[in-house]
Amino acid sequence: MLNLKIVSPEKVEYDGAAERVLVPGTMGQFEILSNHAPIISTLQKGVVEYFNKEGKTSLEILGGFVEVQKNQVSLCVELK
C-alpha cells in the first residue's frame, strides 16, 4: 500500500492510502506501485489516476512534480 499526498497551490487535494497511482510523466505515463524504486520526475499536462478502496479517482493537471520514496508518493501539481 502507498501513502499518497497530492498538493496544489490552493490546498491538499488528497492525503491517504492508494494501491497504485498513474501519472503523466514528461517522458510518458507511468505507474507507481508498492515498493517502487525512488524517483523524482516532472509531470506534464494530463490526468493523475489513483486507486484506493473507494475505487478510481481522476484529477486533471497542467503539470507538476512527483517524488517516490519508501512507499510515500508526493505530488505537487497545478490543477486545470
Side-chain angles (χ1 to χ4, degrees), residues 21-75:
V21 183
L22 288 168
V23 295
T26 308
M27 302 294 287
Q29 185 181 48
F30 64 95
E31 183 174 37
I32 301 163
L33 300 169
S34 290
N35 300 315
H36 194 285
I39 187 174
I40 296 175
S41 178
T42 55
L43 302 176
Q44 65 182 4
K45 182 178 179 180
V47 177
V48 171
E49 295 179 341
Y50 57 93
F51 302 79
N52 56 23
K53 292 177 184 170
E54 289 80 42
K56 177 176 93 170
T57 303
S58 299
L59 189 64
E60 286 190 55
I61 66 166
L62 295 174
F65 298 91
V66 61
E67 178 185 17
V68 180
Q69 189 163 349
K70 297 182 181 175
N71 289 324
Q72 174 66 44
V73 181
S74 301
L75 278 81

Side-chain angles (χ1 to χ4, degrees), residues 10-25:
E10 293 80 29
K11 64 179 183 171
V12 175
E13 301 293 329
Y14 180 77
D15 190 1
E19 295 171 7
R20 59 190 178 115
V21 183
L22 288 168
V23 295

